[in-house]
Amino acid sequence: MNRHAIAGTAARILMYSLALLAVRHAAAQERLSLSGNIQTQFQHGERDATLKVGTANEHPDQPFSRVGIRRGRVKMTYAETFGSAVFQVDATEKGIAVKDAYLNLKEPWTKTAALRAGIFEPPFGNEIDYSSALRESPESSLLYQMLFPEERDMGVMLQLRPPDTSPLHMLMLDAALLAGNGANMETDSRRDFAAHLHAQYDAGAALRIAGGISCYFGSVYQGTETVLRVRDGAFAADDDPHNRGRFARREYRGVDLQLSMPRSAWARQLRAELISGVQPGSATDMRSRTASSLPAHDTYVRHFRGGYAIFVQDLARSTLAAVVKYEWLDPNTRIAGNDIGLNRSAAADILRRTFGFGMLWQPDRHFRLQAYYEINRNETSSSLEGYATDRSDNVFTLRLQYRF
């Protein structure tokens, strides 16, 4: 071993030793907290299903099943009087990914404002901010999976919370400037703006009413000279050399509502959201970009609409709860039916509906067993191969979760 290798090894040992000492010192002062969860799951899908663990179906004409680690989260929070730092990773058999890495700075005088900077959940709606460890359905709605695939973005966010003595104490505002391509390296000089104005009111001891409005104003780089928009029920191409390097608008508007009776023997809650807007995508996908490189495909601009409603009912004072959820996504409200598959439209324009139901068993705050079945239905079109009839893509999920 040469002296450079020895020096490098010594430096790493010193770095790890210092880090360990820092962790022990912080823990001794109760400034560092560690939390997380692991979700192991089995999924069974019909032949056309897409599962969240494992690989694609090896026999496309048969049902299939997979086992895997859906999430393996470890979250570290270091808190001081006027600020905190949060770092969270997700470790599964697919690899390790950073989920959160941000600083929180609190305004020390009135304590009504805070500034967050780094990688965090964008301020939009309710479901994206609802912890995956608490979520009663296995996944967030398809609508959110398309608009915010990584459920994280990079930027800076201002949070305003009026004091309890204020007549506006029930209001909360989060507003952020974001890179706009998930937790990835930024690729352009544009910033997106997102905001969520939320209110919560306790109507007596047994009923809590909450809701909010959200907006997102952003843009997506146009990688070619061709931009397609829907006119008279069909995609029409604008082939202008000046289109390359310009930006297509990405805009969402949403409203959310939450009703809950948490203190009842038969505790229950209802949550719902409705979102519509304009989404730039590709010919085959309306999903928001999460890449560290500029797009090189034609830009397809779609007007979309979607939402969900979920109802959770605790069964008396037992450890069981029943869950029912309905969601839908129309990725292109201006093309429908047998017109899909014509004039450069594709499966990305198909309307999808999902009805899900299941049971939760949670004997204590650490363990949870979840069984959930999704009935997926898609719009049909005789003009699109594979979509003349409804696809066979229902999914059953059995998940065991441990939180610490």
Side-chain angles (χ1 to χ4, degrees):
M1 181 179 292
N2 60 43
R3 62 180 182 178
H4 295 292
I6 294 174
T9 301
R12 286 192 291 272
I13 293 174
L14 178 61
M15 180 183 67
Y16 295 148
S17 300
L18 291 174
L20 180 59
L21 288 173
V23 168
R24 288 180 176 176
H25 179 70
Q29 298 186 18
E30 298 183 350
R31 293 178 180 175
L32 180 68
S33 61
L34 186 68
S35 61
N37 69 86
I38 182 169
Q39 298 174 350
T40 62
Q41 75 182 33
F42 164 83
Q43 284 192 299
H44 181 273
E46 295 182 328
R47 65 186 185 193
D48 299 322
T50 300
L51 305 184
K52 292 297 185 179
V53 292
T55 60
N57 192 355
E58 73 276 26
H59 300 295
D61 59 337
Q62 301 176 19
F64 67 114
S65 63
R66 295 288 186 270
V67 294
I69 307 298
R70 179 62 184 98
R71 294 177 180 90
R73 302 285 174 86
V74 178
K75 183 177 183 180
M76 294 171 284
T77 303
Y78 184 90
E80 293 279 4
T81 304
F82 301 121
S84 61
V86 175
F87 185 76
Q88 181 176 204
V89 297
D90 186 27
T92 71
E93 70 273 25
K94 297 179 181 179
I96 299 177
V98 175
K99 300 304 294 183
D100 292 297
Y102 61 83
L103 303 174
N104 262 334
L105 300 177
K106 301 177 183 179
E107 181 266 308
W109 298 282
T110 63
K111 299 180 180 180
T112 61
L115 191 67
R116 178 175 296 182
I119 299 172
F120 51 84
E121 295 161 335
F124 190 96
N126 176 257
E127 194 172 41
I128 196 172
D129 192 43
Y130 200 76
S131 172
S132 59
L134 301 176
R135 190 180 297 139
E136 297 85 1
S137 59
E139 306 297 334
S140 59
S141 303
L142 179 61
L143 176 62
Y144 270 98
Q145 294 179 48
M146 294 292 107
L147 301 183
F148 303 99
E150 296 183 343
E151 298 182 338
R152 301 295 192 279
D153 213 319
M154 186 159 44
V156 60
M157 178 168 66
L158 176 65
Q159 299 176 298
L160 299 177
R161 305 285 190 270
D164 293 339
T165 56
S166 169
L168 301 177
H169 71 277
M170 66 182 66
L171 294 177
M172 295 163 279
L173 174 65
D174 296 332
L177 289 176
L178 305 167
N181 64 329
N184 299 280
M185 291 187 294
E186 193 171 21
T187 57
D188 58 60
S189 300
R190 294 286 188 100
R191 308 288 178 274
D192 294 356
F193 174 79
H196 182 214
L197 178 63
H198 184 255
Q200 180 174 300
Y201 175 69
D202 290 334
L207 177 62
R208 175 173 296 167
I209 304 172
I213 55 175
S214 303
C215 66
Y216 189 105
F217 299 105
S219 58
V220 174
Y221 182 89
Q222 297 173 176
T224 72
E225 64 183 24
T226 302
V227 178
L228 297 101
R229 296 179 175 84
V230 179
R231 297 173 185 168
D232 300 323
F235 274 116
D238 175 14
D239 298 313
D240 184 345
H242 295 96
N243 283 332
R244 187 193 300 269
R246 289 179 176 173
F247 291 82
R249 66 188 179 105
R250 174 189 176 190
E251 296 182 3
Y252 316 146
R253 294 173 177 83
V255 58
D256 59 90
L257 175 67
Q258 302 89 47
L259 302 174
S260 63
M261 301 176 65
R263 303 178 188 177
S264 168
W266 289 77
R268 67 202 66 174
Q269 58 176 305
L270 172 67
R271 304 193 305 273
E273 290 193 55
L274 177 64
I275 303 173
S276 62
V278 180
Q279 175 78 340
S282 67
T284 59
D285 199 351
M286 63 100 54
R287 195 185 316 263
S288 297
R289 283 186 55 79
T290 56
S292 296
S293 59
L294 292 173
H297 56 72
D298 295 344
T299 302
Y300 283 67
V301 179
R302 297 178 173 92
H303 291 255
F304 72 90
R305 184 182 300 115
Y308 71 88
I310 182 170
F311 179 73
V312 184
Q313 174 68 68
D314 287 1
L315 303 182
R317 296 189 182 277
S318 72
T319 57
L320 296 173
V323 183
V324 178
K325 184 177 184 179
Y326 175 76
E327 59 179 281
W328 82 99
L329 170 61
D330 187 350
N332 194 336
T333 59
R334 300 185 177 185
I335 302 179
N338 293 330
D339 290 333
I340 300 177
L342 304 175
N343 302 304
R344 303 176 74 165
S345 59
D349 303 292
I350 289 286
L351 183 150
R352 292 173 171 82
R353 300 182 178 91
T354 297
F355 175 71
F357 57 92
M359 293 291 294
L360 298 170
W361 178 57
Q362 190 162 333
D364 58 37
R365 58 184 294 267
H366 298 290
F367 285 98
R368 174 194 270 187
L369 182 64
Q370 181 181 57
Y372 195 84
Y373 191 77
E374 294 175 300
I375 301 173
N376 296 302
R377 294 291 179 263
N378 61 263
E379 186 177 14
T380 60
S381 173
S382 59
S383 304
L384 185 62
E385 183 178 357
Y387 287 87
T389 59
D390 185 56
R391 293 167 66 83
S392 298
D393 54 357
N394 295 348
V395 176
F396 170 73
T397 301
L398 183 64
R399 174 183 293 171
L400 178 62
Q401 173 181 281
Y402 181 81
R403 296 175 61 197
F404 59 91

